[in-house]
Amino acid sequence: MNNVQVESLRDRKKLQRRTLLIEIARGLIASKGLRSLKIRDVADAAGCSIGSVYNEFGDFDGLILSVNRETVQALTARLTAVPADDPGRHLHRLADAYLAFAAEHANLLRSLFEHRMENDRPFPEDILLMVMKAFDLMHAPLVRLLPGRDGEEVALLARMMFSAVHGIISLGLEERMVAVPPDRLREQLAQFIDTHLAGLGVPHK
Amino acid sequence: MNNVQVESLRDRKKLQRRTLLIEIARGLIASKGLRSLKIRDVADAAGCSIGSVYNEFGDFDGLILSVNRETVQALTARLTAVPADDPGRHLHRLADAYLAFAAEHANLLRSLFEHRMENDRPFPEDILLMVMKAFDLMHAPLVRLLPGRDGEEVALLARMMFSAVHGIISLGLEERMVAVPPDRLREQLAQFIDTHLAGLGVPHK
DNA sequence: TACGAAAATGAACAATGTTCAAGTAGAATC
DNA sequence: GATTCTACTTGAACATTGTTCATTTTCGTA
C-alpha cells in the first residue's frame, strides 16, 4: 500500500478550511472568551455551513480541543526556545516566557486549563502529554542545580515549581481578582524563584 | 423606620426555598460538575417551577454565584478555624486545610475560580472581597516570621504564597492531568513551605 | 463523459436558558 | 370575615445554540 498520497485539490481545500476554522475559533476565544464561542459564528465567519464544522471536528468539543492543542503547542514551542545556558537563569527565563505567553493569550490559556469535556469524556491523550512535557521543562535545569539528589524527588520538585508558577501567574493575571500588573508580576516571579532556590541550598550568584 | 421586620409566613417560605435551591444546585455541581448544572433539574428536584428559580436568583449566573458565595464562605471559615499558635505551623496548617477542602470539594472550588460571567458582567464585589480575605490569611503568620520587613512586601509575599499553594493544589488534584494522591500532595506542600521559608531566612525548628 | 465516493448544505430537531401573561396565596384594610 | 391589594408562582411559549441527517454538490477516476 502506498502511503504517500498525492495531495489532491480536495485534500488541499480540506486542510485549508480546517486551518481557517481553527484560526477563527481561536480569534473568538482569545477576544471574547471561551464562553462566547458559538458554532454558528465560526461557520459564518468561515463562509461555510454549520454541518461542515461538524464534518471536520465531530462536535463542539472537537473544535475547542483543536484550538487548545495548538495553544499548548505554541506554549511549548515558546518555552522550548528559551536559552538553556545557566540553569538558574534558565528557570527565570522559563517563568518569564510563561508569564509573557499568559499575558498575551490569557483567554487561550484559560480555555486550555479550564475547559471541561461533555459527559466525562476522557481528556485527549496527546494534549495531556504535551502539557506534561511543558511541565517537565523545569526538570533539566533543576537537575543541574541539584546534583546528587534523588531523581524522582527532583522530578516532583519540577512539577511542583511549575504548578506554583502557574498559580502565581494565573491568579495574578485574573482581572476580576484585582490583577497585578505584568511587570510587577515579573519581579515577584523572579523573587519567588530566587527564594525557592536559596531554600533548596543553591548558592546565589 | 423600623428595620426589625416580623418574619411573615411568606418570608419564611421564601428563605426556606432559597436555601433548598442553593443546596440542590450545590449538590449537583459537586457531584457532576458545573457544566452539568441545569435549571430544570434544580427546579424539578426542589419541586417548584423554573420561573421560581428565576424569581429568586434573577438568572442562571445568579444561582451559580449564590453557590460560589457559600463555597468561599465555607472555605474562609475552615481556614479561619486553623489554630494560629506558632506562625510556621500556622502556615502549614493553612495549606493543609486548603488541600483538604479542595480534595473534598473539588468541583465547588472549580466553580468558584473558573466560572465566567455572561457578557462581561462584573464579578460580584462581595465574593471578591471574601476571596481576598482568604488570600490574606497567610499574611499574619508571615509578618510574625519576617519582622522588620517592609509591610507591603510581606503582603505581596503572602498573596504570592497563597497563589503558589493554590496552583500546586489545583493542578495536583486535576484528575485529567494525572493527579497526585492527596497524601503525596500534602508532603509536597509541607516541603514547599519549608523550602520557601528557609529561602526567606526563617530558621527551621 | 459517466459514475461513485466524499464532502457540503441547511432545514429540522433537541436541549436549555429566559420571558411573561395569567393565576394564586398571603397580607392588609375595612 | 369579606374585600382588596400585593407579591409570588406557574408553565407555556420563546430564543439561543449544539446536533443530526436526507439531499445536493463537488471532485476523482474509469
Side-chain angles (χ1 to χ4, degrees):
Chain A
M1 199 198 267
N2 185 3
N3 279 323
V4 182
Q5 303 283 340
V6 180
E7 192 184 64
S8 64
L9 172 63
R10 192 173 263 170
D11 289 344
R12 234 182 311 129
K13 283 176 74 176
K14 184 180 169 68
L15 179 61
Q16 205 172 331
R17 178 148 78 189
R18 181 184 174 85
T19 306
L20 175 63
L21 286 169
I22 294 177
E23 183 88 24
I24 289 169
R26 174 170 41 238
L28 290 174
I29 295 175
S31 63
K32 303 197 300 180
L34 179 57
R35 189 165 175 180
S36 300
L37 184 67
K38 313 291 174 196
I39 286 266
R40 281 170 177 75
D41 291 345
V42 175
D44 286 353
C48 72
S49 69
I50 318 164
S52 293
V53 181
Y54 274 81
N55 191 36
E56 188 60 44
F57 298 99
D59 61 8
F60 196 39
D61 272 356
L63 174 58
I64 296 169
L65 289 174
S66 295
V67 173
N68 288 352
R69 188 169 285 116
E70 294 195 356
T71 298
V72 66
Q73 276 167 346
L75 173 62
T76 302
R78 189 120 157 202
L79 294 180
T80 305
V82 165
D85 44 4
D86 170 71
R89 199 158 25 219
H90 190 191
L91 285 179
H92 279 94
R93 282 176 172 155
L94 284 173
D96 278 357
Y98 194 94
L99 172 60
F101 189 90
E104 288 167 29
H105 309 293
N107 278 333
L108 293 179
L109 216 52
R110 277 186 205 122
S111 171
L112 174 62
F113 282 107
E114 296 178 5
H115 174 62
R116 308 281 148 190
M117 308 283 289
E118 193 93 36
N119 300 332
D120 304 322
R121 268 192 302 173
F123 193 73
E125 188 77 17
D126 63 324
I127 296 184
L128 177 65
L129 287 176
M130 285 192 283
V131 174
M132 288 300 170
K133 192 179 157 196
F135 276 31
D136 254 12
L137 286 173
M138 282 192 160
H139 190 214
L142 279 175
V143 168
R144 291 174 65 188
L145 287 170
L146 303 169
R149 294 225 193 178
D150 178 65
E152 199 197 342
E153 190 196 345
V154 178
L156 279 173
L157 191 65
R159 180 172 167 165
M160 193 176 69
M161 275 197 79
F162 198 104
S163 300
V165 167
H166 170 83
I168 293 169
I169 289 174
S170 60
L171 282 188
L173 289 179
E174 198 69 52
E175 320 89 32
R176 63 181 188 180
M177 296 199 177
V178 188
V180 180
D183 277 349
R184 201 91 186 72
L185 254 189
R186 206 164 162 275
E187 294 168 23
Q188 278 195 44
L189 278 173
Q191 185 200 331
F192 172 81
I193 291 174
D194 284 339
T195 301
H196 212 77
L197 288 183
L200 288 168
V202 176
H204 192 240
K205 289 177 191 164
Chain B
M1 198 200 269
N2 184 5
N3 280 322
V4 182
Q5 302 282 341
V6 180
E7 190 185 64
S8 65
L9 174 63
R10 193 174 262 171
D11 290 344
R12 235 183 311 127
K13 283 175 75 174
K14 184 179 169 69
L15 179 60
Q16 205 173 331
R17 178 146 80 188
R18 182 186 174 84
T19 306
L20 176 64
L21 286 169
I22 294 177
E23 183 89 24
I24 289 169
R26 174 170 41 237
L28 290 174
I29 294 175
S31 63
K32 303 198 300 180
L34 179 58
R35 188 166 174 178
S36 300
L37 184 68
K38 314 290 175 199
I39 287 266
R40 281 171 177 76
D41 292 345
V42 175
D44 286 353
C48 71
S49 69
I50 319 165
S52 292
V53 181
Y54 273 82
N55 190 39
E56 188 61 44
F57 299 99
D59 61 7
F60 196 39
D61 272 355
L63 174 58
I64 295 169
L65 289 174
S66 296
V67 173
N68 288 352
R69 187 170 285 115
E70 295 196 355
T71 297
V72 67
Q73 276 167 346
L75 173 63
T76 302
R78 188 119 156 205
L79 294 180
T80 306
V82 165
D85 44 4
D86 171 70
R89 202 161 17 225
H90 191 190
L91 285 180
H92 279 94
R93 281 176 172 155
L94 284 173
D96 278 357
Y98 194 94
L99 172 59
F101 189 90
E104 287 167 31
H105 309 293
N107 277 332
L108 293 178
L109 215 51
R110 278 187 203 119
S111 171
L112 174 63
F113 282 107
E114 296 178 3
H115 174 62
R116 308 280 149 193
M117 308 282 290
E118 194 93 36
N119 301 332
D120 303 323
R121 268 193 300 173
F123 192 73
E125 187 78 15
D126 64 324
I127 297 185
L128 178 64
L129 286 175
M130 286 192 282
V131 174
M132 287 299 171
K133 193 180 157 198
F135 276 31
D136 254 11
L137 285 173
M138 283 192 159
H139 190 215
L142 278 175
V143 167
R144 292 174 64 188
L145 288 169
L146 302 169
R149 294 223 193 180
D150 178 65
E152 199 196 343
E153 190 196 346
V154 179
L156 279 173
L157 191 65
R159 181 172 167 165
M160 193 176 70
M161 276 197 79
F162 197 104
S163 300
V165 168
H166 170 83
I168 293 169
I169 290 174
S170 59
L171 282 188
L173 289 179
E174 198 68 54
E175 319 90 30
R176 62 181 189 179
M177 297 199 177
V178 189
V180 180
D183 277 349
R184 200 92 186 69
L185 253 188
R186 203 162 164 277
E187 294 168 24
Q188 279 194 44
L189 279 173
Q191 183 200 331
F192 171 82
I193 291 173
D194 284 338
T195 301
H196 212 79
L197 288 182
L200 288 167
V202 175
H204 191 242
K205 289 176 191 165

